[in-house]
Amino acid sequence: MYIFEVLYKEHENIHAFTDKLEQMAINFMEKNEISFEAYEEAINFIKTYADKRHHQKEEQVLFKAMLENLGEMANNLINHGMIVEHNLARLYVWELEEALKAYKQAPTTVLKLKILTTIMSYVYLLRRHIHKENNAVYPYAKKNLPKDLIEKLDLEAKKYDGVL
Ligand SMILES: [Fe+2]
Ligand SMILES: [Fe+2]
């Protein structure tokens, strides 16, 4: 089942990235070390990989199929849970970008605090989110979606990833 394998693998990469991001926040907090280029790279990873490649694939392929086939339970789990968290992650990243821009212009303690708190909000959100998907959402989908539909989703996910 390509779709689940690839989503789990992406979770591993995103989880490893949150560790790196946390370390960047610690370096900034303890040593006042900040590399704007490193933050730009990190934000680029979030936008192109965590959001576009991973979250949008979930939304357009797996979650769409769950909403169409699994009734009220999926509606609660996806629309009131996972999608809300994807949007919250997008908000934190936007806030982080704004705080970094402002800090570059005028480094203040308030902005430093904002950078640190938005980073850690994103990190904790993503770790909780990944845990829920790995342990509740994906197993639920695997168990309840019809096998032939999962095969179709495999193809759609491959197309999305450009491997087909
Ligand atoms: Fe997600
Ligand atoms: Fe995910």
Side-chain angles (χ1 to χ4, degrees):
M1 284 186 266
Y2 174 84
I3 184 153
F4 294 108
E5 282 161 23
V6 80
L7 291 173
Y8 277 118
K9 182 72 201 150
E10 286 165 5
H11 277 177
E12 275 177 35
N13 293 337
I14 295 166
H15 206 285
F17 167 77
T18 66
D19 294 342
K20 270 175 57 187
L21 200 55
E22 184 175 51
Q23 192 54 52
M24 282 167 68
I26 290 169
N27 293 343
F28 186 31
M29 182 180 74
E30 288 186 337
K31 300 178 228 160
N32 226 25
E33 260 177 36
I34 182 160
S35 157
F36 290 103
E37 294 77 45
Y39 277 99
E40 213 171 283
E41 255 175 57
I43 288 169
N44 189 44
F45 177 87
I46 292 172
K47 286 184 177 173
T48 60
Y49 190 86
D51 194 59
K52 193 164 195 306
R53 186 181 164 107
H54 183 75
H55 289 157
Q56 290 184 42
K57 179 163 61 226
E58 287 178 333
E59 290 172 13
Q60 289 170 31
V61 183
L62 180 64
F63 293 173
K64 185 169 171 277
M66 290 175 76
L67 288 167
E68 285 168 0
N69 292 276
L70 301 177
E72 195 49 32
M73 173 73 175
N75 185 38
N76 286 331
L77 207 57
I78 303 302
N79 282 335
H80 303 300
M82 300 305 106
I83 303 279
V84 173
E85 292 180 357
H86 288 182
N87 286 333
L88 199 51
R90 289 167 189 140
L91 175 70
Y92 288 147
V93 173
W94 179 78
E95 282 185 331
L96 175 60
E97 275 188 293
E98 293 300 301
L100 283 164
K101 263 187 235 161
Y103 189 86
K104 207 173 177 181
Q105 299 288 319
T108 65
T109 304
V110 169
L111 286 170
K112 179 175 179 176
L113 186 62
K114 186 159 186 196
I115 291 167
L116 292 172
T117 50
T118 48
I119 289 174
M120 293 318 296
S121 299
Y122 180 85
V123 165
Y124 295 141
L125 173 72
L126 262 286
R127 286 177 186 162
R128 279 196 307 270
H129 183 80
I130 286 171
H131 186 80
K132 271 185 260 177
E133 287 180 340
N134 283 355
N135 296 289
V137 179
Y138 294 173
Y140 182 78
K142 239 184 200 174
K143 193 168 162 232
N144 293 290
L145 287 174
K147 269 211 156 52
D148 58 332
L149 177 59
I150 293 180
E151 279 167 23
K152 277 188 202 148
L153 298 181
D154 279 348
L155 289 178
E156 277 182 47
K158 279 182 187 169
K159 272 188 205 151
Y160 189 96
D161 291 339
V163 293
L164 199 72

